[in-house]
């Protein structure tokens, strides 16, 4: 499949998951769902589908869709030109998502870092988010997350989003929103 | 009914509407749904039920529940101590909500200002929000909104919420969050 076809297929799948969850989006939002493969070309395992509802100079709101087992790679939101980096709240809406942060590592992690990329998943403190549960991350905190076997939908509420400033642990990653 | 019973009844009703919409909240959130009657003692007609997901010094996210025909009275979010007032995005999730703003008044308004309080509903430019539609309000903009006949659920994404600073058109209103 060409890249364009892959993106369209992922958009369709994400839209179907949102629809099944009763989350309405407009045709324009549907057509512009961001399909992020982080330049790794391995979307099913490391990727994220994003509907940006609003991103202005004060706050941001998005819906994140993760396919079953899909992982958003480890990264952080640094300060930019002296301004504090992004603070963000993840609120699980559907499925289960495991969020990993600095701190005491889980004895038996529920998620599995993508094979071949383990070295780039360094934080192992686990927070399990099921529907209705949420977690707020302070700026510049390393984190990554993975959906459970049914995929997940996560609402993200945050300060202004500047994805191009994100710092990923995996040096191969190119984040071009 | 005592005030306490009215609040509990409204919480139950709001929680049922959220549940019917597939929006999960925790038992703690359920128990602390804010039932705002704005000091008017007329909740069914002028009131709002609110689940605050997050409110910090950078951003805020809430779920607003409106009963059928329920109206959030006209108000604005002014600057505080030189800091810009709240900017907010309303995104309709269920039902229909009519939002009124400064501008060309609707020829035939779909909402009806609550009888006896018409003088306190001064802006009449209409924006209809159905599921998936949203509108972003700049700070200090007068606005009010009313749910359609089936009630409504609206996600609010915003900068920091300081409800006690809100300025209502109706001088009888007391906003005590």
């Amino acid at each position: 499949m060409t890249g364009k076809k892959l993106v369209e297929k992922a958009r369709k799948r994400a839209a179907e998951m949102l629809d099944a969850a009763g989350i309405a989006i407009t045709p324009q939002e549907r057509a512009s769902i961001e399909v992020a493969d982080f330049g790794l070309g391995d979307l099913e395992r490391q990727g994220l589908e994003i509907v940006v509802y609003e991103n202005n100079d004060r706050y941001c709101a998005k819906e994140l869709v993760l396919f079953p087992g899909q992982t958003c790679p480890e990264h952080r939101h640094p300060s930019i030109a002296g301004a504090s980096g992004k603070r963000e709240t993840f609120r699980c809406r559907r499925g289960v998502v495991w969020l990993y942060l600095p701190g005491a590592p889980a004895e038996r992690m529920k998620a599995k870092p993508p094979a071949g990329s383990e070295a780039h998943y360094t934080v192992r403190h686990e927070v399990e988010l099921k529907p209705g549960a949420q977690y707020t991350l302070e700026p510049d905190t390393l984190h990554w997350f993975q959906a459970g076997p049914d995929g997940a939908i996560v609402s993200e509420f945050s300060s202004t989003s500047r994805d191009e400033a994100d710092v990923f642990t995996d040096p191969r990653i190119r984040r071009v929103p």
Side-chain angles (χ1 to χ4, degrees), chain A:
Chain A
M1 248 187 301
T2 65
K4 206 171 166 183
K5 273 195 183 171
L6 271 171
V7 167
E8 200 34 58
K9 194 182 157 193
R11 281 192 178 135
K12 183 168 185 288
R13 193 173 170 194
E16 285 166 357
M17 287 177 65
L18 290 166
D19 190 52
I23 297 174
I25 59 172
T26 64
Q28 292 81 354
E29 288 168 337
R30 160 71 183 77
S32 58
I33 293 174
E34 185 188 348
V35 176
D37 80 346
F38 305 98
L40 296 173
D42 188 20
L43 182 72
E44 288 285 316
R45 294 197 309 154
Q46 298 188 74
L48 193 58
E49 293 67 44
I50 308 162
V51 180
V52 181
Y53 290 146
E54 177 71 15
N55 186 24
N56 60 50
D57 63 354
R58 300 178 73 181
Y59 58 87
C60 178
K62 302 174 177 179
E63 218 75 75
L64 310 179
V65 180
L66 292 116
F67 300 144
Q70 199 179 31
T71 305
C72 175
E74 185 175 287
H75 66 287
R76 59 188 172 85
H77 308 289
S79 302
I80 308 170
S84 185
K86 186 187 180 201
R87 182 190 292 159
E88 59 193 3
T89 301
F90 295 119
R91 184 174 178 93
C92 182
R93 302 290 196 166
R94 285 292 183 285
V96 57
V97 66
W98 297 296
L99 174 65
Y100 295 91
L101 311 161
E107 286 198 20
R108 292 187 54 185
M109 284 172 64
K110 289 182 178 164
K112 209 176 155 58
S117 295
E118 292 88 344
H120 310 302
Y121 289 81
T122 66
V123 294
R124 302 283 175 110
H125 182 71
E126 183 174 272
V127 175
E128 183 175 72
L129 298 177
K130 290 180 174 174
Q134 67 181 44
Y135 191 91
T136 297
L137 271 167
E138 289 306 310
D140 217 13
T141 307
L142 274 176
H143 62 288
W144 60 280
F145 48 96
Q146 184 175 94
D150 299 320
I153 298 176
V154 175
S155 293
E156 182 186 298
F157 315 123
S158 72
S159 54
T160 306
S161 199
R162 294 183 180 88
D163 296 337
E164 66 287 357
D166 292 352
V167 177
F168 286 84
T169 305
D170 186 340
R172 297 168 300 177
I173 287 180
R174 294 289 169 268
R175 180 84 170 101
V176 186

